[in-house]
Amino acid sequence: MKELKIDAEPSYEYTMLSSPKRNLSNLPMNAIVATIFFGCGMILGWVSSGIDQTPVDFTGARAHFRYGLDRSDTLGNNDAMPKLAWLLSFPNSGTSYTGELVRAVTGFNTATNYGESNLLNDGTSELVYTSAFGAAGPFWTDPKINRHKPTNGYILTKTHCGSRCDVCGVDGYVENEHLFLQHCLETSYISKSSTGDLVKSVGTYDKELVARAVHLIRDPFDNIVSRFHLRHNRFTKLNDTESLERYPKTSDGFRAFCNDLSELHAQEEETSKFYHDVIDSIRNVPCHADFFRYIQWHNLAFVTTWDLQIPTLVVHYENFTTNFDETKGMLIEFLGQEAIYEPPTFVAGKTYRDYFSDEEIDGIAQMFEMLAMEKTWHYTRHYFE
Ligand SMILES: *[C@@H]1O[C@H](CO)[C@@H](O)[C@H](O)[C@H]1NC(C)=O
Ligand SMILES: *[C@@H]1O[C@H](CO)[C@@H](O)[C@H](O)[C@H]1NC(C)=O
């Protein structure tokens, strides 16, 4: 079997910044003292209630140490910039169009956690909140295009959160809600060092900046095959001729890619407790691990928005095809903005259900019934009816 080459994907996707919870003893003492004095209630609560009690969110504190102590309100958003509405999406489920639509019809820019691929002419990412407390992100989308910045409503902000590597083993993608939230807040960006060099960094921002969420859901079969196409594009970009030959952008190429991955991780899945209930239904389904991730991803996204207690709009990607005006209307209204301009043409995503046999679709349906939370199942069961 061919060994899959893994290109230099940004490692921030799967490695966490070290958790201050574990490393508190390593932090400079003056930083801790300063934080307590400047009234970071969460740390204070944690310190006074003793070690290892309720989980504490250190996201703000972590960035705080890096960015200094100029906090002047509880949120630290001194920019008079609206708060964020996450665009939560498992990759390749319609993120790009949704962002384009919002920018086009409102005339206002959107934001992204991935500043690294949204650069100004000088090669750096542009922060949304230039003076927000501790915020190392999010960043403006395509900042070279000098769009208006929204002055009210919410700023749609792309994040793919965690649990989404495509070439990785069980241990690489099974995660809990704690890690998932951290990944939702995680950013990558490019800035200039004091010597003028461009430096790539990972960052995070305070969850308090997030006030709403748009949760995108796409037909899992189309979504998973599209993810293969994305991987295929990477092979092309890397001129990985061997992979391009072995995995053409066809149904056969998809299956060859999935088979190699399955073989690579079979042992791990057979013995994993996370697969225990489902392995018999999906063992032979191509790219079943990506369906596992899809289910886990949506479960965790629902848990996250529930835990943050933020209003959440679920959008079915296919409703841009079947129900365009209403879907657009709901989205723009939810963002507290106005649709003023014409929407960009929506080119319906292709459908790839015919890449799978009826039997395979049944196997996946069984995995959904077993692993999807009520809420996830509620919003995905129609893909199996
Ligand atoms: C891609 O790789 C092939 C062989 O590995 C080489 O002949 C070709 O020149 C490369 N193309 C580019 C654009 O680098
Ligand atoms: C998508 O449209 C269908 C009707 O066409 C509707 O029943 C469904 O609720 C819509 N999805 C969402 C998430 O609003």
Side-chain angles (χ1 to χ4, degrees):
M1 187 188 49
K2 175 184 188 297
E3 208 175 297
L4 279 164
K5 270 190 219 153
I6 303 184
D7 59 85
E9 249 179 285
S11 59
Y12 61 84
E13 287 188 16
Y14 317 116
T15 53
M16 293 304 304
L17 299 166
S18 62
S19 162
K21 219 188 292 190
R22 254 167 269 130
N23 294 340
L24 198 62
S25 57
N26 299 338
L27 290 171
M29 205 49 211
N30 58 353
I32 295 175
V33 171
T35 307
I36 292 169
F37 273 108
F38 281 78
C40 181
M42 285 184 296
I43 291 208
L44 205 55
W46 182 80
V47 168
S48 59
S49 63
I51 290 172
D52 266 353
Q53 293 199 345
T54 23
V56 176
D57 178 80
F58 274 92
T59 337
R62 174 166 56 212
H64 195 129
F65 295 127
R66 211 175 320 139
Y67 285 86
L69 297 165
D70 56 355
R71 187 175 202 179
S72 68
D73 63 32
T74 48
L75 172 60
N77 170 11
N78 304 326
D79 298 69
M81 199 66 83
K83 282 200 187 183
L84 309 176
W86 267 340
L87 177 57
L88 288 173
S89 67
F90 192 60
N92 289 71
S93 57
T95 333
S96 305
Y97 182 76
T98 310
E100 262 171 52
L101 172 67
V102 169
R103 290 188 293 277
V105 305
T106 64
F108 289 120
N109 207 353
T110 60
T112 173
N113 279 18
Y114 312 108
E116 189 189 357
S117 37
N118 289 269
L119 303 172
L120 289 162
N121 285 322
D122 70 354
T124 63
S125 318
E126 190 186 13
L127 276 167
V128 170
Y129 303 108
T130 50
S131 62
F133 168 71
F139 304 88
W140 291 114
T141 305
D142 298 335
K144 269 183 208 158
I145 304 167
N146 197 10
R147 292 193 189 85
H148 293 291
K149 292 166 180 169
T151 47
N152 50 27
Y154 303 89
I155 306 170
L156 188 70
T157 302
K158 166 175 158 178
T159 176
H160 291 312
C161 301
S163 174
R164 62 190 158 89
C165 49
D166 62 343
V167 183
C168 55
V170 181
D171 201 40
Y173 58 82
V174 170
E175 57 184 63
N176 64 7
E177 65 287 344
H178 166 75
L179 283 175
F180 192 79
L181 172 61
Q182 287 193 48
H183 286 303
C184 294
L185 294 163
E186 208 164 82
T187 64
S188 63
Y189 62 101
I190 294 178
S191 57
K192 270 203 179 125
S193 71
S194 50
T195 53
D197 299 321
L198 293 174
V199 185
K200 180 176 147 179
S201 311
V202 294
T204 185
Y205 50 89
D206 198 314
K207 64 184 181 184
E208 294 297 322
L209 291 168
V210 185
R212 298 199 152 198
V214 176
H215 180 160
L216 259 187
I217 300 182
R218 183 178 184 188
D219 180 313
F221 298 98
D222 301 344
N223 200 166
I224 272 47
V225 175
S226 298
R227 270 162 66 77
F228 162 66
H229 292 162
L230 184 70
R231 171 57 62 181
H232 194 276
N233 294 347
R234 289 213 191 102
F235 292 146
T236 307
K237 210 160 116 193
L238 297 168
N239 193 25
D240 178 352
T241 43
E242 205 185 327
S243 294
L244 287 170
E245 210 165 286
R246 191 174 170 88
Y247 312 123
K249 213 169 182 173
T250 60
S251 166
D252 287 344
F254 172 70
R255 294 187 88 95
F257 176 73
C258 297
N259 287 343
D260 282 355
L261 282 179
S262 295
E263 235 175 281
L264 202 58
H265 301 299
Q267 175 106 38
E268 205 185 341
E269 290 169 4
E270 294 291 338
T271 54
S272 165
K273 61 190 169 198
F274 298 108
Y275 272 87
H276 186 261
D277 289 342
V278 295
I279 189 74
D280 289 337
S281 347
I282 49 91
R283 188 177 284 115
N284 297 318
V285 179
C287 280
H288 53 262
D290 222 27
F291 288 93
F292 183 103
R293 288 185 285 267
Y294 175 104
I295 299 169
Q296 180 185 237
W297 193 97
H298 287 289
N299 283 348
L300 289 170
F302 280 120
V303 169
T304 300
T305 51
W306 166 79
D307 184 44
L308 295 179
Q309 300 197 28
I310 49 177
T312 301
L313 176 73
V314 177
V315 173
H316 282 129
Y317 182 59
E318 71 271 15
N319 284 19
F320 283 127
T321 309
T322 56
N323 221 343
F324 184 83
D325 287 336
E326 197 190 334
T327 307
K328 179 193 85 177
M330 278 189 336
L331 175 65
I332 301 301
E333 189 186 329
F334 183 76
L335 295 174
Q337 300 195 21
E338 271 180 88
I340 298 171
Y341 307 102
E342 283 302 305
T345 313
F346 177 70
V347 181
K350 293 202 188 80
T351 166
Y352 300 104
R353 216 163 251 265
D354 55 354
Y355 279 27
F356 300 85
S357 70
D358 289 349
E359 207 179 32
E360 288 165 351
I361 293 176
D362 282 350
I364 295 295
Q366 282 171 38
M367 176 158 71
F368 269 72
E369 283 184 67
M370 195 75 82
L371 300 184
M373 289 178 8
E374 281 302 327
K375 192 126 185 183
T376 305
W377 183 232
H378 172 80
Y379 283 106
T380 53
R381 62 181 304 160
H382 65 287
Y383 297 122
F384 299 96
E385 279 162 359

